[in-house]
Amino acid sequence: MPDLKSQKRRAPVLAIILISCLLITITSLFAPAAHALTQIKLSNLSYKDCPPELGKGAVTSGGSSLPANCFIVTGKAENTSGKPVYDADVFGRIFDANNNNVLPNRTRLGSIDEIPPGISDFELRITVPANLELPLKLEQFKAAGFAGKVRR
């Protein structure tokens, strides 16, 4: 039979364990929801020249300025999550008529602020060097965003 001293020593330990479990349970109830990435399918891709007010400019690389062409990539974004998706990064590869990678060091092409549930239209501005052979080929486009707004 346990003696009275050993029971008194165990009581504070049991109280600490009980309080810890209670705190963990309470804090988990009020923890913010995790906002995992939601994948967005992009389809029906095409591009058109930028309007003149957007299309003026040059591409700067290494401090030197090069002539550039501006295009608006358009398409459909399919959000199957049932919830709006925010701050979706758009990834893809763009090739010229000779299969040269137009943006070899960059697959993130831009972002879409908000994508509602279902299928919606999107637009994305890109700027490419003017010496590339047209038409452009748009490949492997996809997007990924968050179920909640991301602080910036």
Side-chain angles (χ1 to χ4, degrees):
M1 180 168 171
D3 63 345
L4 192 55
K5 283 186 180 181
S6 65
Q7 287 180 352
K8 285 184 180 181
R9 279 184 284 187
R10 288 187 194 149
V13 174
L14 291 175
I16 291 172
I17 292 172
L18 182 62
I19 291 170
S20 298
C21 290
L22 184 62
L23 285 174
I24 290 170
T25 303
I26 290 172
T27 56
S28 67
L29 292 175
F30 297 106
H35 297 295
L37 278 178
T38 301
Q39 299 298 317
I40 303 295
K41 180 181 176 188
L42 302 179
S43 61
N44 297 341
L45 299 171
S46 62
Y47 68 94
K48 60 186 177 188
D49 290 329
C50 288
E53 61 274 5
L54 286 178
K56 294 178 183 174
V59 174
T60 304
S61 176
S64 61
S65 183
L66 303 170
N69 289 331
C70 175
F71 297 104
I72 302 289
V73 175
T74 62
K76 301 286 184 186
E78 184 178 357
N79 175 3
T80 59
S81 73
K83 298 177 184 177
V85 171
Y86 301 97
D87 302 313
D89 290 322
V90 176
F91 301 91
R93 298 185 65 182
I94 302 173
F95 299 93
D96 68 5
N98 298 319
N99 286 324
N100 295 314
N101 194 343
V102 172
L103 303 167
N105 297 322
R106 199 170 94 187
T107 58
R108 183 189 177 277
L109 302 173
S111 66
I112 304 171
D113 290 335
E114 182 177 350
I115 304 171
I119 297 175
S120 59
D121 294 322
F122 78 92
E123 287 188 345
L124 182 71
R125 179 181 175 221
I126 60 168
T127 304
V128 299
N131 63 350
L132 297 174
E133 293 287 327
L134 299 177
L136 298 177
K137 298 173 193 169
L138 309 174
E139 296 183 5
Q140 300 171 352
F141 270 62
K142 64 181 179 179
F146 299 90
K149 290 199 177 197
V150 176
R151 290 184 217 146
R152 290 184 185 204

